[in-house]
Amino acid sequence: MLLRALDRFFGHEASGGILLMLSAVLAMIVANSGLAGAYDGVLGSYFAVTINGEGLEKPLILWINDGLMAIFFFLIGLELKAELLEGKLKNPSDVVLPGVAAIGGMAFPALIYLAFNWGNPATVGGWAIPAATDIAFALGVLALVGDRVPSSLKVFLLTLAILDDMGAIVIIALFYTAELKVDYLFLSLIPLAGMWFLHHKKVHRMAPILMLGVILWVLVLKSGVHATLAGVVTAFFIPLKDKYGKSPLHSLEHGLSPYVLYVIVPIFAFANAGVVLKGMTFGDLMAPLPMGIALGLILGKQLGVFGITFAMVKLGLARMPSGANWAQIYGIACLAGIGFTMSLFIGSLSFTDQALMNEVRLGVLSGSILSGIMGYIALRLSTRDAPKAEAKAENAVA
């Protein structure tokens, strides 16, 4: 009975988003309980991998954010490559509407954040925090609505979120890179050359490419460029087809996806979502940093995604997703405001001060939760007569 229930849960599209939410709630409970000291102590514990004193020594929280999240970005890279070569991003005409909407959905939240934090040099660097969309969480909420929404809306949201991730990767590379160490960047060309050669030969076994990817990760980490980008780069050297006609890319994507969705992302959420509520007042939520993030996710995404989509369609530059209405587009725009994983991740790159990070968590969680609730309500209300309409159509055909 229990095994069947677990199988049904993990087989549901919303399971990843639900597990993510539970991990965040658990982190908040632990961070505000008697276990808070142990929670902080474990995350601050140093782990080292060294040879003759040379190597990596980092607290556990950075092994999670720099190491495990590199695997998360590796999966994103695999998905991006698959979509570019044979999926939703292959046909440029299908990308225009969600692509421009994604740009608007990143620009407007950043502008709203800057409007609140422009005069504060300590917080202005977090402008990209509300620009991100959490694919798993957003699709999980959409899945809760069920089959009431047309499939074109799911494709629209998925394409929007994928392009949003591409934008986040570019932002991290350009604006969240520490002081560069050029010698390590030059050394990183060696594993890159090896991966290019193996990709060119359409190798069947992926272990050599993955081992070179680990070496690339270490060198990129040492160079000052954020190490998670090594995951994306490695993914693009995984062959779509090997010399036997099989797809190593799809095999890795399907094999890795459950571990990322149900293990890595929940661990990241648990390690990064622990908002300390002790001594916090309503006025703290109104501070420029959390308010800029929350309103960026709530209003910025709605203005950017819905506003740009409305303008594009009305100007005749693009067509509405098939079978969708404007209320449903608004609901999708709200769901795009669920930043969570990527927003928390960019927040960890923006600030090292724990007090500021606590404000980041407060803004991300409040903005994401409200966006999710608004999106769910909008989609439910806009599709409440959908089953009846479908039944009437079927009877008419019969």
Side-chain angles (χ1 to χ4, degrees):
M1 180 70 75
L2 178 61
L3 290 177
R4 283 202 300 270
L6 288 174
D7 186 58
R8 284 197 300 271
F9 172 76
F10 287 110
H12 197 281
E13 285 184 288
S15 58
I18 293 172
L19 193 58
L20 192 59
M21 181 176 62
L22 292 176
S23 299
V25 171
L26 182 60
M28 291 180 65
I29 292 173
V30 171
N32 292 278
S33 70
L35 297 172
Y39 176 75
D40 293 332
V42 170
L43 291 176
S45 300
Y46 272 78
F47 290 82
V49 179
T50 59
I51 300 175
N52 290 331
E54 291 292 329
L56 298 176
E57 184 177 1
K58 289 177 171 290
L60 179 60
I61 183 67
L62 291 185
W63 280 107
I64 293 171
N65 291 355
D66 292 345
L68 288 183
M69 288 302 283
I71 302 174
F72 170 80
F73 275 88
F74 175 71
L75 178 62
I76 288 179
L78 292 175
E79 293 172 345
L80 285 176
K81 181 173 180 179
E83 296 295 342
L84 285 167
L85 294 181
E86 58 180 15
K88 301 172 185 66
L89 305 182
K90 183 179 179 180
N91 188 349
S93 62
D94 294 334
V95 181
V96 173
L97 182 59
V100 178
I103 294 172
M106 298 183 77
F108 278 85
L111 290 173
I112 289 177
Y113 178 92
L114 288 172
F116 281 88
N117 293 273
W118 185 254
N120 189 347
T123 61
V124 71
W127 60 270
I129 295 172
T133 296
D134 189 300
I135 296 179
F137 221 142
L139 290 177
V141 175
L142 182 62
L144 293 175
V145 183
D147 297 331
R148 295 164 177 260
V149 297
S151 58
S152 62
L153 274 183
K154 180 179 178 180
V155 173
F156 179 79
L157 177 60
L158 185 59
T159 307
L160 174 75
I162 289 172
L163 293 169
D164 190 286
D165 279 344
M166 289 180 67
I169 290 167
V170 172
I171 287 172
I172 291 169
L174 295 179
F175 299 102
Y176 292 93
T177 293
E179 183 180 350
L180 285 177
K181 296 179 181 177
V182 180
D183 51 346
Y184 283 107
L185 279 181
F186 276 118
L187 286 173
S188 69
L189 295 176
I190 298 174
L192 280 174
M195 287 190 289
W196 176 85
F197 176 78
L198 294 171
H199 177 270
H200 181 68
K201 291 296 183 181
K202 295 185 177 181
V203 293
H204 175 67
R205 297 186 182 279
M206 292 297 99
I209 293 180
L210 296 178
M211 290 175 65
L212 289 170
V214 172
I215 295 172
L216 177 67
W217 176 81
V218 173
L219 293 173
V220 170
L221 181 64
K222 289 282 192 179
S223 74
V225 177
H226 201 271
T228 52
L229 298 177
V232 179
V233 173
T234 302
F236 273 79
F237 285 104
I238 301 297
L240 179 63
K241 299 288 184 182
D242 62 18
K243 57 186 177 182
Y244 300 111
K246 297 180 179 180
S247 179
L249 188 149
H250 287 309
S251 296
L252 271 175
E253 182 184 353
H254 295 153
L256 190 60
S257 183
Y259 295 99
V260 171
L261 193 60
Y262 301 126
V263 179
I264 290 176
V265 173
I267 288 175
F268 172 83
F270 180 74
N272 288 273
V275 179
V276 179
L277 300 175
K278 184 178 179 181
M280 187 173 290
T281 65
F282 183 74
D284 294 316
L285 181 59
M286 306 300 289
L289 178 55
M291 183 58 69
I293 294 172
L295 289 183
L297 289 170
I298 297 169
L299 296 181
K301 286 291 184 180
Q302 291 180 32
L303 289 171
V305 175
F306 182 81
I308 294 296
T309 301
F310 186 84
M312 291 281 288
V313 172
K314 291 301 181 182
L315 291 172
L317 301 175
R319 290 183 298 176
M320 280 272 284
S322 177
N325 57 49
W326 285 115
Q328 292 169 344
I329 295 294
Y330 175 75
I332 293 297
C334 292
L335 294 188
I338 304 176
F340 206 75
T341 305
M342 288 298 291
S343 291
L344 287 173
F345 181 71
I346 295 175
S348 71
L349 301 182
S350 305
F351 307 113
T352 56
D353 181 84
Q354 285 306 304
L356 291 178
M357 269 308 298
N358 200 55
E359 292 187 25
V360 168
R361 296 183 188 108
L362 182 62
V364 170
L365 289 174
S366 59
S368 296
I369 290 170
L370 285 173
S371 292
I373 292 172
M374 292 173 68
Y376 177 77
I377 292 174
L379 288 169
R380 287 287 296 186
L381 292 177
S382 66
T383 57
R384 58 185 175 183
D385 296 327
K388 295 180 182 178
E390 289 173 7
K392 288 180 180 179
E394 290 174 2
N395 292 334
V397 173

